[in-house]
């Protein structure tokens, strides 16, 4: 872990004064933070802190009541999810949302941007080009499958995969493009130790070799402490603190947010 | 086989070849000759074996089933491909039928004008009418989709059901548009002159001589051929786009919308596209129906006859599979026409229960269709032919389908 919490890399993703109310519940309360380029930033916080809502606002599924989201200097607040995707931001979902009645490989092929065959008239008037492009996309999908070691299930229905395999598929989908930043919502939840190790290796490799920035929500503190730097802590819709993992681990505010006032009693 | 029967049988050669191409698997080089042989043998075999009456009945039965197959393909591109619960098939069917009728008929003149009103009559050829029907229906589908496709599942079903009823009531009440509650008559039959005596003047003499023994009652054989070709064109065109990256996005949207959006697909745009494609096909189906029955009125386009039976057909054949969408209509139409005789046989029993029960036997048939639908949903929701796993045919096969 070479980057530090006070590093000088520019912010790739920045949220400013975000506010979101659901009726009487303030899910996000004037929250601001930024994710620097080339980092694996952890986003932690107790249940109900607003982490997933934050992801939904960033990716355009929920419109914020106030505030802005910037991606590399562009204001992406209020754009549709597919427009945000086109700007180089991918995400996975907490509960895997695979396309269950399609094969694993076509789940991946779907994601490739700029497919001629997605305009149906091209299937009639330019079948040759569509065919050539399909072969390229399939080659790419096969490569991604090898990377996440799912080649053996390429032709299975995605709905039939195990929970852990679905998590890998979610990650794999983000690799079908050239994302600048990937948002992972609990990538390790419900995943066994071995698979989790592989997952975190994959994430680290992608950051190192392809320069992808990650922002990940995770409850597994082992994973967060080993993988993420810096770590942002959210509580009650606000950013509580940001720092290196060891700083966060020691911070009394964080322990209080997680465990309430009696954290000392539970610490042993 | 006499000359007339031979001429009749010759009309069903091409439809049977198309059917054989649909059924026989394997490489094109093997399929095509096999299909041609099968088509010729079966066509003339049927002609030789069947009495003229039965032969004609079989052909008119199949023509109606194929018209339903077109509707079912249209519904499949909405429901099967991308999960729209469109309970308004009848609306698009009606729009197509009336559009083609208005485009192909001429304005009534003289004494007829006192009885029959219509907004316009362009007197255009059949194919122009069919195309216009598809386009107008697609436009209506597009306009409807803007507000309605914000809805999902049951809500979409109710909205589309309402729209179809509105369309039907417009055709019922607006006399100036298409003769209001009275039937719009005299919809031309394409190339009807083939069976007149003397036949069309441009017809080569040998062909005219060949068709000479056939009369206007045999027109159905020609129309059967025409519908089969149109159905084949629609099938091939739809199959092409549903087994493509476009179809893949549609299935992705059907399965999991949010994930498709996060894969960079403009979900609403794709949902509108499949809805409009389906509306176009249903409109074409309406046009073909109009030219088949020659006289149409609003009552043909009620939800039972034109929406729910199409749903049963598609669900039984296999949602998401275009072959199933063609098979289903034949099975259900056979059940539907077959139950008439069952109900007739039951009439004495029914009259024992209550004297006016036999006259209400039509409802009994509907009940049978409803039971059929319930049984499909419970026991075989994927239909007779299930949806294929692989979507895109634009990539090479990998051995496993």
């Amino acid at each position: 872990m070479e980057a530090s919490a006070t590093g000088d890399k520019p912010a790739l993703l920045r949220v400013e004064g975000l506010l979101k109310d659901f009726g009487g519940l303030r899910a996000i309360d004037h929250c601001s933070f930024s994710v620097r380029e080339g980092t694996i930033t952890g986003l932690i916080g107790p249940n109900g802190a607003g982490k997933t809502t934050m992801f939904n606002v960033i990716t355009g599924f929920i419109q914020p009541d106030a505030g802005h989201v910037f991606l590399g200097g562009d204001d992406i607040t209020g754009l549709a999810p597919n427009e945000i995707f086109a700007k180089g931001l991918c995400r996975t979902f907490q509960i895997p949302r695979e396309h269950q009645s399609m094969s694993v490989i076509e789940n991946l092929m779907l994601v490739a941007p700029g497919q001629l065959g997605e305009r149906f008239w091209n299937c009639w008037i330019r079948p040759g080009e569509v065919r050539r492009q399909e072969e390229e996309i399939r080659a790419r999908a096969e490569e991604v499958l090898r990377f996440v070691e799912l080649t053996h299930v390429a032709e299975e229905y995605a709905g039939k995969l195990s929970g852990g395999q679905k998590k890998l598929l979610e990650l794999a989908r983000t690799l079908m493009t050239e994302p600048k930043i990937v948002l992972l919502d609990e990538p390790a939840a419900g995943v066994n130790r071995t698979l989790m190790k592989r997952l975190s290796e994959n994430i680290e490799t992608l950051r190192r070799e392809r320069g992808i920035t990650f922002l990940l929500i995770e409850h597994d503190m082992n994973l967060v402490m080993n993988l993420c730097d810096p770590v942002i802590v959210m509580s009650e819709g606000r950013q509580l603190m940001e720092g290196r993992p060891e700083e966060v681990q020691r911070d009394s505010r964080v322990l209080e947010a997680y465990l309430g006032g009696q954290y000392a009693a539970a610490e042993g | 086989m006499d000359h007339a029967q031979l001429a009749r049988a010759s009309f069903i050669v091409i439809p049977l070849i198309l059917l054989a191409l649909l059924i026989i698997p394997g490489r094109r080089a093997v399929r095509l000759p096999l299909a041609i042989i099968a088509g010729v043998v079966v066509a003339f075999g049927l002609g030789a074996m069947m009495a003229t009456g039965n032969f004609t009945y079989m052909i008119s039965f199949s023509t109606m089933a194929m018209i339903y197959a077109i509707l079912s393909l249209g519904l499949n591109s909405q429901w099967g491909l991308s999960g729209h619960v469109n309970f308004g098939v009848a609306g698009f069917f009606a729009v197509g039928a009336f559009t083609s009728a208005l485009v192909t008929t001429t304005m009534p003149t003289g004494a007829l004008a006192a009885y029959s009103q219509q907004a316009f009559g362009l007197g255009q050829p059949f194919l122009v009418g069919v195309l216009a029907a598809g386009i107008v229906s697609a436009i209506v589908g597009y306009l409807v989709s803007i507000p309605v496709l914000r809805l999902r599942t049951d809500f979409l079903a109710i909205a589309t059901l309402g729209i179809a009823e509105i369309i039907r009531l417009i055709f019922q009440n607006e006399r100036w548009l298409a003769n209001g509650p009275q039937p719009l008559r005299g919809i031309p039959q394409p190339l009807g002159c083939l069976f007149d005596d003397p036949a069309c003047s441009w017809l080569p003499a040998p062909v005219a001589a060949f068709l000479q023994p056939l009369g206007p009652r045999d027109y159905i054989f020609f129309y059967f051929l025409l519908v089969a070709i149109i159905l084949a064109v629609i099938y091939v065109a739809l199959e092409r786009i549903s087994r493509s990256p476009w179809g893949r996005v549609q299935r992705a949207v059907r399965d999991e919308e949010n994930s498709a959006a996060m894969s960079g697909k403009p979900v609403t745009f794709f949902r509108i596209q499949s809805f409009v494609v389906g509306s176009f096909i249903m409109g074409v189906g309406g046009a073909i129906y109009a030219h088949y029955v020659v006289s149409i009125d609003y009552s043909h386009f009620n939800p039972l006859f034109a929406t729910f039976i199409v749903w049963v057909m598609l669900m039984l054949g296999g949602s998401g599979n275009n072959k199933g969408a063609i098979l289903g209509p034949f099975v259900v139409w056979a059940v539907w026409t077959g139950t008439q005789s069952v109900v007739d046989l039951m009439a004495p029993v029914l009259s024992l229960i209550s004297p006016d029960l036999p006259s209400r036997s039509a409802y009994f048939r509907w009940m049978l269709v409803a039971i059929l639908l319930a049984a499909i949903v419970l026991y075989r929701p994927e239909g007779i032919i299930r949806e294929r796993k692989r979507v895109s045919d634009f990539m090479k096969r990998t051995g496993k389908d």
Side-chain angles (χ1 to χ4, degrees):
Chain A
M1 271 175 272
E2 71 279 68
S4 79
T6 52
D8 50 358
K9 283 267 183 65
L12 180 60
L13 179 74
R14 193 153 54 87
V15 301
E16 260 183 29
L18 274 190
L19 182 75
K20 181 68 201 176
D21 288 329
F22 292 117
L25 177 77
R26 180 151 289 183
I28 301 180
D29 187 4
H30 299 98
C31 189
S32 303
F33 64 78
S34 56
V35 177
R36 277 171 295 107
E37 208 177 317
T39 60
I40 300 175
T41 303
L43 182 61
I44 65 168
N47 290 326
K51 305 181 296 294
T52 296
T53 307
M54 177 59 81
F55 267 27
N56 284 337
V57 170
I58 292 173
T59 52
F61 283 100
I62 296 176
Q63 300 298 318
D65 296 325
H68 290 276
V69 182
F70 297 95
L71 179 66
D74 292 349
D75 189 345
I76 59 166
T77 326
L79 292 186
N82 59 297
E83 294 167 323
I84 291 172
F85 170 90
K87 288 189 180 288
L89 188 149
C90 290
R91 81 171 280 189
T92 66
F93 294 91
Q94 187 174 359
I95 299 156
R97 297 196 175 179
E98 76 290 345
H99 303 291
Q100 47 172 9
S101 60
M102 290 199 303
S103 65
V104 169
I105 190 147
E106 285 199 89
N107 262 266
L108 293 182
M109 293 178 68
L110 168 79
V111 184
Q115 299 187 38
L116 279 174
E118 283 180 5
R119 297 196 165 74
F120 64 80
W121 49 91
N122 281 338
C123 305
W124 293 324
I125 58 177
R126 296 157 79 184
E129 283 169 77
V130 174
R131 199 165 286 129
R132 191 176 45 73
Q133 210 185 26
E134 278 284 276
E135 287 306 316
E136 284 169 20
I137 293 169
R138 184 164 71 172
R140 168 144 207 182
E142 280 167 353
E143 197 181 308
V144 170
L145 280 179
R146 270 196 295 280
F147 178 74
V148 294
E149 298 175 38
L150 283 178
T151 307
H152 57 294
V153 291
E155 301 291 337
E156 296 296 326
Y157 279 115
K160 289 195 175 154
L161 297 186
S162 74
Q165 288 173 322
K166 285 180 186 173
K167 288 279 183 185
L168 282 175
L169 178 60
E170 287 272 304
L171 178 66
R173 273 217 307 251
T174 65
L175 303 179
M176 284 302 293
T177 68
E178 300 287 341
K180 291 184 198 137
I181 179 166
V182 174
L183 274 56
L184 303 172
D185 197 345
E186 298 199 26
V191 170
N192 69 52
R193 292 265 148 198
T194 334
L195 199 58
M196 196 167 95
K197 194 156 168 294
R198 206 161 89 204
L199 205 76
S200 57
E201 282 166 9
N202 285 347
I203 294 171
E204 181 54 37
T205 311
L206 289 168
R207 182 191 73 87
R208 205 174 49 238
E209 289 176 5
R210 290 173 57 180
I212 300 172
T213 308
F214 286 90
L215 173 63
L216 63 102
I217 297 177
E218 188 48 72
H219 282 299
D220 187 305
M221 284 306 140
N222 268 330
L223 185 82
V224 173
M225 294 307 151
N226 290 329
L227 194 62
C228 301
D229 185 18
V231 175
I232 297 168
V233 187
M234 272 185 83
S235 175
E236 293 172 357
R238 269 178 238 148
Q239 195 230 49
L240 194 64
M241 71 164 296
E242 177 181 339
R244 309 203 52 168
E246 51 271 33
E247 290 167 17
V248 168
Q249 225 166 358
R250 283 195 304 268
D251 196 282
S252 60
R253 288 170 299 172
V254 176
L255 289 170
E256 189 167 319
Y258 264 93
L259 302 169
Q262 297 91 18
Y263 65 88
E267 207 172 19
Chain B
M1 189 159 41
D2 63 359
H3 182 179
Q5 192 76 341
L6 186 76
R8 286 187 197 106
S10 65
F11 280 105
I12 70 167
V13 172
I14 288 172
L16 284 170
I17 291 173
L18 293 172
L19 177 67
L21 281 175
L22 188 67
I23 295 171
I24 301 171
R27 293 168 172 280
R28 189 173 299 172
V30 185
R31 276 164 75 202
L32 190 60
L34 269 180
I36 291 172
I37 294 165
V40 171
V41 169
V42 174
F44 293 108
L46 283 175
M49 285 188 311
M50 293 178 90
T52 306
N54 289 346
F55 198 32
T56 309
Y57 178 76
M58 187 191 82
I59 293 307
S60 65
F61 166 86
S62 305
T63 305
M64 201 57 216
M66 286 197 295
I67 291 170
Y68 273 122
I70 293 172
L71 292 180
S72 166
L73 281 175
L75 184 62
N76 193 33
S77 75
Q78 297 180 339
W79 159 249
L81 228 50
S82 55
H84 299 304
V85 189
N86 181 2
F87 275 7
V89 180
F92 301 98
F93 188 40
V95 167
F98 280 106
T99 302
S100 189
L102 291 177
V103 168
T104 53
T105 52
T106 47
M107 280 301 264
T109 49
L112 194 60
Y115 299 102
S116 187
Q117 293 179 23
Q118 59 187 76
F120 54 87
L122 303 179
Q124 294 295 311
F126 171 73
L127 283 179
V128 176
V130 171
L131 219 57
I135 290 166
V136 171
S137 181
I139 292 169
V140 171
Y142 175 68
L143 294 176
V144 164
S145 74
I146 295 169
V148 155
L149 287 191
R150 292 167 185 275
L151 306 171
R152 303 286 185 273
T153 60
D154 348 13
F155 302 100
L156 179 59
I158 293 166
T160 47
L161 186 63
I163 284 162
E165 283 299 279
I166 292 169
I167 291 171
R168 186 168 67 94
L169 288 170
I170 288 173
F171 285 117
Q172 180 176 352
N173 292 306
E174 300 302 319
R175 184 111 204 244
W176 59 271
L177 182 62
N179 210 22
Q182 299 299 317
L184 188 60
R185 294 193 184 83
I187 302 167
Q189 294 194 309
L191 298 187
C193 65
L194 287 178
F195 301 93
D196 288 343
D197 201 19
C200 328
S201 52
W202 49 265
L203 205 64
V207 182
F210 182 65
L211 296 179
Q212 208 276 326
L214 302 184
R217 275 192 312 170
D218 297 308
Y219 179 76
I220 180 73
F221 286 89
F222 172 73
Y223 203 69
F224 172 78
L225 169 66
L226 197 62
V227 178
I229 290 170
I230 292 173
L231 176 64
V233 169
I234 291 174
Y235 171 80
V236 170
L238 191 60
E239 190 73 356
R240 190 78 170 173
I241 63 172
S242 51
R243 304 226 173 280
S244 74
W246 185 79
R248 188 160 60 212
V249 177
Q250 296 293 357
R251 198 185 287 188
V253 169
R254 186 190 73 189
D255 277 1
E256 187 53 76
E257 246 178 69
N258 287 339
S259 190
M262 214 50 241
S263 301
K265 313 303 173 197
V267 169
T268 309
F269 181 53
F270 276 98
R271 295 186 83 224
I272 290 176
Q273 284 182 48
S274 65
F275 197 81
V276 170
V277 167
S279 308
F280 181 92
I281 297 172
M282 289 172 189
V284 169
I288 289 166
Y289 177 74
H291 292 271
Y292 177 54
V293 296
V294 181
S295 156
I296 53 171
D297 66 68
Y298 70 94
S299 67
H300 295 209
F301 307 101
N302 64 57
L304 283 178
F305 175 72
T307 296
F308 291 107
I309 200 164
V310 180
W311 268 92
V312 179
M313 288 162 171
L314 179 60
M315 299 284 280
L316 180 74
S319 311
N321 189 311
N322 289 328
K323 282 183 186 168
I326 294 176
L327 175 65
F330 278 87
V331 177
V332 173
W333 195 236
V335 170
W336 176 246
T337 46
T339 47
Q340 179 60 62
S341 50
V342 174
V343 169
D344 288 346
L345 287 174
M346 283 173 62
V349 184
L350 290 175
S351 58
L352 285 179
I353 302 169
S354 167
D356 60 344
L357 214 50
S359 62
R360 298 184 190 172
S361 60
Y363 300 103
F364 186 71
R365 294 170 77 196
W366 280 114
M367 198 177 77
L368 290 177
V369 171
I371 291 171
L372 182 62
L373 179 60
I376 299 162
V377 173
L378 282 174
Y379 299 111
R380 200 169 167 86
E382 72 274 18
I384 300 173
I385 314 180
R386 62 163 60 236
E387 183 179 70
R388 220 179 59 174
K389 185 193 280 177
R390 197 158 66 103
V391 183
S392 174
D393 268 344
F394 282 88
M395 56 174 174
K396 290 197 195 84
R397 287 170 190 282
T398 47
K400 264 189 185 177
D401 171 284

